[in-house]
C-alpha cells in the first residue's frame, strides 16, 4: 500500500517512502520492516538448528534499536538505492551487519 497521499500507481520504492511518508510514519514503517526481518531470521536460524536460536534476531534488533544514528544510515541508503523496495535496502544493510 502506498503511503498516505501517494497515488495508487506510485511504486513503493525507497524514494517514494522518503518523499511521501511523514517522519512518524517513516519510523513506524522502518521499525516494522526491521522486526519482520528479525523474526524471519529467528525462524530461519531456529529451523536450521532444530532449536530456538536468537543470535541473528538479537543482532538485527540491536543494529536498529541501539544505534542512535541508524535512521540517518537508512535514509542515506534509501537515497542511494532509491529505485529499490525499502525492505530490500534494509535487508542489505542487515546482511552487512549481521550476516545471513
Amino acid at each position: 500500500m502506498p503511503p498516505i497521499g501517494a497515488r495508487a500507481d506510485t511504486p513503493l520504492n525507497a524514494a517514494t517512502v522518503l518523499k511521501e511518508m511523514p517522519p512518524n510514519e517513516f519510523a513506524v514503517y522502518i521499525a516494522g520492516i526491521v522486526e519482520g526481518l528479525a523474526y524471519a531470521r529467528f525462524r530461519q536460524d531456529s529451523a536450521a538448528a532444530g532449536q530456538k536460536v536468537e543470535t541473528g534476531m538479537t543482532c538485527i534488533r540491536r543494529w536498529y534499536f541501539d544505534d542512535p544514528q541508524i535512521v540517518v544510515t537508512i535514509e542515506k541508503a534509501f537515497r542511494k538505492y532509491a529505485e529499490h523496495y525499502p525492505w530490500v535496502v534494509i535487508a542489505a544493510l542487515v546482511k552487512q551487519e549481521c550476516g545471513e
Side-chain angles (χ1 to χ4, degrees):
M1 166 181 255
I4 295 173
R7 295 186 357 213
D9 62 345
T10 303
L12 185 56
N13 58 29
T16 302
V17 170
L18 283 174
K19 181 181 175 189
E20 300 290 337
M21 273 193 186
N24 61 330
E25 289 179 21
F26 179 82
V28 172
Y29 180 72
I30 298 307
I33 292 171
V34 170
E35 287 293 346
L37 290 171
Y39 183 69
R41 177 67 178 272
F42 168 73
R43 294 289 306 247
Q44 174 185 316
D45 293 349
S46 296
Q51 62 184 6
K52 288 184 180 180
V53 177
E54 297 181 0
T55 310
M57 175 183 68
T58 301
C59 179
I60 293 167
R61 295 188 84 235
R62 283 188 181 141
W63 167 80
Y64 182 73
F65 292 107
D66 291 354
D67 181 353
Q69 294 298 313
I70 198 64
V71 173
V72 174
T73 301
I74 292 170
E75 287 177 358
K76 285 180 183 177
F78 276 19
R79 283 185 182 80
K80 185 173 182 178
Y81 302 103
E83 71 282 2
H84 295 284
Y85 291 117
W87 52 89
V88 171
V89 175
I90 294 172
L93 293 172
V94 164
K95 184 177 179 180
Q96 287 178 344
E97 183 69 23
C98 300
E100 290 193 52

mmCIF file of all heavy atoms in Angstrom, residues 39-61:
data_model
loop_
_atom_site.group_PDB
_atom_site.id
_atom_site.type_symbol
_atom_site.label_atom_id
_atom_site.label_comp_id
_atom_site.label_asym_id
_atom_site.label_seq_id
_atom_site.Cartn_x
_atom_site.Cartn_y
_atom_site.Cartn_z
ATOM 1 N N TYR A 39 12.352 -11.388 13.039
ATOM 2 C CA TYR A 39 11.568 -12.598 13.296
ATOM 3 C C TYR A 39 11.832 -13.656 12.224
ATOM 4 O O TYR A 39 11.973 -14.843 12.535
ATOM 5 C CB TYR A 39 10.078 -12.276 13.375
ATOM 6 C CG TYR A 39 9.263 -13.502 13.705
ATOM 7 C CD1 TYR A 39 9.344 -14.087 14.957
ATOM 8 C CD2 TYR A 39 8.435 -14.093 12.753
ATOM 9 C CE1 TYR A 39 8.620 -15.230 15.259
ATOM 10 C CE2 TYR A 39 7.716 -15.230 13.042
ATOM 11 C CZ TYR A 39 7.807 -15.794 14.303
ATOM 12 O OH TYR A 39 7.089 -16.928 14.603
ATOM 13 N N ALA A 40 11.936 -13.234 10.983
ATOM 14 C CA ALA A 40 12.243 -14.187 9.907
ATOM 15 C C ALA A 40 13.593 -14.843 10.147
ATOM 16 O O ALA A 40 13.764 -16.053 9.933
ATOM 17 C CB ALA A 40 12.223 -13.477 8.554
ATOM 18 N N ARG A 41 14.552 -14.061 10.613
ATOM 19 C CA ARG A 41 15.874 -14.613 10.912
ATOM 20 C C ARG A 41 15.796 -15.621 12.057
ATOM 21 O O ARG A 41 16.425 -16.677 12.021
ATOM 22 C CB ARG A 41 16.824 -13.470 11.257
ATOM 23 C CG ARG A 41 18.206 -13.880 11.654
ATOM 24 C CD ARG A 41 18.972 -14.505 10.454
ATOM 25 N NE ARG A 41 20.299 -14.850 10.868
ATOM 26 C CZ ARG A 41 21.348 -14.026 10.826
ATOM 27 N NH1 ARG A 41 21.203 -12.801 10.348
ATOM 28 N NH2 ARG A 41 22.510 -14.424 11.232
ATOM 29 N N PHE A 42 15.018 -15.298 13.079
ATOM 30 C CA PHE A 42 14.815 -16.214 14.194
ATOM 31 C C PHE A 42 14.233 -17.539 13.705
ATOM 32 O O PHE A 42 14.719 -18.620 14.060
ATOM 33 C CB PHE A 42 13.883 -15.583 15.235
ATOM 34 C CG PHE A 42 13.386 -16.539 16.268
ATOM 35 C CD1 PHE A 42 14.230 -17.012 17.264
ATOM 36 C CD2 PHE A 42 12.069 -16.959 16.250
ATOM 37 C CE1 PHE A 42 13.771 -17.909 18.227
ATOM 38 C CE2 PHE A 42 11.600 -17.842 17.206
ATOM 39 C CZ PHE A 42 12.454 -18.325 18.192
ATOM 40 N N ARG A 43 13.221 -17.451 12.869
ATOM 41 C CA ARG A 43 12.590 -18.671 12.337
ATOM 42 C C ARG A 43 13.577 -19.470 11.501
ATOM 43 O O ARG A 43 13.673 -20.690 11.619
ATOM 44 C CB ARG A 43 11.352 -18.312 11.501
ATOM 45 C CG ARG A 43 10.197 -17.702 12.252
ATOM 46 C CD ARG A 43 9.499 -18.705 13.138
ATOM 47 N NE ARG A 43 9.107 -19.865 12.377
ATOM 48 C CZ ARG A 43 7.866 -20.239 12.114
ATOM 49 N NH1 ARG A 43 6.868 -19.554 12.588
ATOM 50 N NH2 ARG A 43 7.623 -21.310 11.397
ATOM 51 N N GLN A 44 14.316 -18.798 10.643
ATOM 52 C CA GLN A 44 15.284 -19.462 9.776
ATOM 53 C C GLN A 44 16.375 -20.143 10.599
ATOM 54 O O GLN A 44 16.686 -21.317 10.382
ATOM 55 C CB GLN A 44 15.918 -18.445 8.831
ATOM 56 C CG GLN A 44 17.043 -18.994 7.973
ATOM 57 C CD GLN A 44 17.718 -17.912 7.157
ATOM 58 O OE1 GLN A 44 17.051 -17.073 6.581
ATOM 59 N NE2 GLN A 44 19.023 -17.924 7.124
ATOM 60 N N ASP A 45 16.964 -19.415 11.522
ATOM 61 C CA ASP A 45 18.051 -19.963 12.332
ATOM 62 C C ASP A 45 17.568 -21.108 13.217
ATOM 63 O O ASP A 45 18.257 -22.117 13.369
ATOM 64 C CB ASP A 45 18.683 -18.873 13.209
ATOM 65 C CG ASP A 45 19.415 -17.813 12.411
ATOM 66 O OD1 ASP A 45 19.628 -17.998 11.196
ATOM 67 O OD2 ASP A 45 19.774 -16.779 13.018
ATOM 68 N N SER A 46 16.385 -20.953 13.791
ATOM 69 C CA SER A 46 15.843 -21.987 14.673
ATOM 70 C C SER A 46 15.495 -23.250 13.902
ATOM 71 O O SER A 46 15.758 -24.359 14.373
ATOM 72 C CB SER A 46 14.610 -21.456 15.412
ATOM 73 O OG SER A 46 14.972 -20.381 16.254
ATOM 74 N N ALA A 47 14.920 -23.082 12.718
ATOM 75 C CA ALA A 47 14.578 -24.251 11.903
ATOM 76 C C ALA A 47 15.838 -25.009 11.492
ATOM 77 O O ALA A 47 15.875 -26.247 11.536
ATOM 78 C CB ALA A 47 13.795 -23.829 10.668
ATOM 79 N N ALA A 48 16.883 -24.280 11.127
ATOM 80 C CA ALA A 48 18.133 -24.914 10.711
ATOM 81 C C ALA A 48 18.797 -25.657 11.862
ATOM 82 O O ALA A 48 19.400 -26.714 11.664
ATOM 83 C CB ALA A 48 19.086 -23.868 10.144
ATOM 84 N N ALA A 49 18.669 -25.131 13.075
ATOM 85 C CA ALA A 49 19.327 -25.731 14.238
ATOM 86 C C ALA A 49 18.462 -26.765 14.946
ATOM 87 O O ALA A 49 18.962 -27.537 15.758
ATOM 88 C CB ALA A 49 19.720 -24.635 15.228
ATOM 89 N N GLY A 50 17.166 -26.756 14.665
ATOM 90 C CA GLY A 50 16.264 -27.678 15.354
ATOM 91 C C GLY A 50 15.965 -27.254 16.786
ATOM 92 O O GLY A 50 15.433 -28.035 17.572
ATOM 93 N N GLN A 51 16.291 -26.039 17.124
ATOM 94 C CA GLN A 51 16.002 -25.472 18.446
ATOM 95 C C GLN A 51 16.011 -23.956 18.331
ATOM 96 O O GLN A 51 16.472 -23.415 17.326
ATOM 97 C CB GLN A 51 17.042 -25.914 19.468
ATOM 98 C CG GLN A 51 18.448 -25.461 19.140
ATOM 99 C CD GLN A 51 19.471 -26.008 20.118
ATOM 100 O OE1 GLN A 51 19.149 -26.817 20.977
ATOM 101 N NE2 GLN A 51 20.708 -25.591 19.980
ATOM 102 N N LYS A 52 15.514 -23.277 19.370
ATOM 103 C CA LYS A 52 15.489 -21.818 19.325
ATOM 104 C C LYS A 52 16.901 -21.251 19.262
ATOM 105 O O LYS A 52 17.756 -21.593 20.065
ATOM 106 C CB LYS A 52 14.783 -21.258 20.564
ATOM 107 C CG LYS A 52 13.300 -21.458 20.566
ATOM 108 C CD LYS A 52 12.683 -20.781 21.765
ATOM 109 C CE LYS A 52 11.182 -20.981 21.758
ATOM 110 N NZ LYS A 52 10.551 -20.318 22.917
ATOM 111 N N VAL A 53 17.103 -20.363 18.283
ATOM 112 C CA VAL A 53 18.375 -19.655 18.133
ATOM 113 C C VAL A 53 18.039 -18.178 17.946
ATOM 114 O O VAL A 53 17.419 -17.812 16.960
ATOM 115 C CB VAL A 53 19.190 -20.179 16.929
ATOM 116 C CG1 VAL A 53 20.468 -19.381 16.751
ATOM 117 C CG2 VAL A 53 19.479 -21.656 17.071
ATOM 118 N N GLU A 54 18.444 -17.369 18.890
ATOM 119 C CA GLU A 54 18.088 -15.954 18.871
ATOM 120 C C GLU A 54 19.240 -15.025 18.493
ATOM 121 O O GLU A 54 19.066 -13.810 18.450
ATOM 122 C CB GLU A 54 17.527 -15.547 20.232
ATOM 123 C CG GLU A 54 16.252 -16.278 20.582
ATOM 124 C CD GLU A 54 15.662 -15.860 21.915
ATOM 125 O OE1 GLU A 54 16.243 -14.990 22.600
ATOM 126 O OE2 GLU A 54 14.608 -16.402 22.276
ATOM 127 N N THR A 55 20.394 -15.561 18.193
ATOM 128 C CA THR A 55 21.580 -14.751 17.928
ATOM 129 C C THR A 55 21.375 -13.772 16.770
ATOM 130 O O THR A 55 21.656 -12.577 16.897
ATOM 131 C CB THR A 55 22.794 -15.652 17.635
ATOM 132 O OG1 THR A 55 22.887 -16.633 18.658
ATOM 133 C CG2 THR A 55 24.060 -14.852 17.555
ATOM 134 N N GLY A 56 20.922 -14.264 15.631
ATOM 135 C CA GLY A 56 20.708 -13.405 14.467
ATOM 136 C C GLY A 56 19.633 -12.376 14.711
ATOM 137 O O GLY A 56 19.785 -11.201 14.359
ATOM 138 N N MET A 57 18.534 -12.798 15.325
ATOM 139 C CA MET A 57 17.441 -11.881 15.635
ATOM 140 C C MET A 57 17.922 -10.778 16.564
ATOM 141 O O MET A 57 17.630 -9.596 16.348
ATOM 142 C CB MET A 57 16.287 -12.641 16.293
ATOM 143 C CG MET A 57 15.154 -11.756 16.769
ATOM 144 S SD MET A 57 13.841 -12.657 17.611
ATOM 145 C CE MET A 57 14.654 -13.174 19.111
ATOM 146 N N THR A 58 18.683 -11.142 17.562
ATOM 147 C CA THR A 58 19.200 -10.171 18.514
ATOM 148 C C THR A 58 20.141 -9.184 17.837
ATOM 149 O O THR A 58 20.095 -7.973 18.103
ATOM 150 C CB THR A 58 19.910 -10.885 19.680
ATOM 151 O OG1 THR A 58 18.964 -11.764 20.311
ATOM 152 C CG2 THR A 58 20.462 -9.907 20.692
ATOM 153 N N CYS A 59 20.988 -9.658 16.946
ATOM 154 C CA CYS A 59 21.891 -8.785 16.198
ATOM 155 C C CYS A 59 21.096 -7.746 15.400
ATOM 156 O O CYS A 59 21.419 -6.558 15.427
ATOM 157 C CB CYS A 59 22.773 -9.607 15.265
ATOM 158 S SG CYS A 59 23.913 -8.592 14.278
ATOM 159 N N ILE A 60 20.062 -8.180 14.719
ATOM 160 C CA ILE A 60 19.251 -7.276 13.904
ATOM 161 C C ILE A 60 18.578 -6.228 14.772
ATOM 162 O O ILE A 60 18.602 -5.031 14.465
ATOM 163 C CB ILE A 60 18.212 -8.060 13.080
ATOM 164 C CG1 ILE A 60 18.922 -8.916 12.033
ATOM 165 C CG2 ILE A 60 17.198 -7.116 12.432
ATOM 166 C CD1 ILE A 60 18.042 -9.951 11.364
ATOM 167 N N ARG A 61 18.005 -6.674 15.865
ATOM 168 C CA ARG A 61 17.313 -5.731 16.747
ATOM 169 C C ARG A 61 18.290 -4.743 17.367
ATOM 170 O O ARG A 61 17.998 -3.550 17.460
ATOM 171 C CB ARG A 61 16.519 -6.475 17.814
ATOM 172 C CG ARG A 61 15.385 -7.308 17.172
ATOM 173 C CD ARG A 61 14.457 -7.916 18.172
ATOM 174 N NE ARG A 61 13.467 -6.892 18.498
ATOM 175 C CZ ARG A 61 13.219 -6.482 19.737
ATOM 176 N NH1 ARG A 61 13.871 -6.977 20.754
ATOM 177 N NH2 ARG A 61 12.317 -5.564 19.944
#
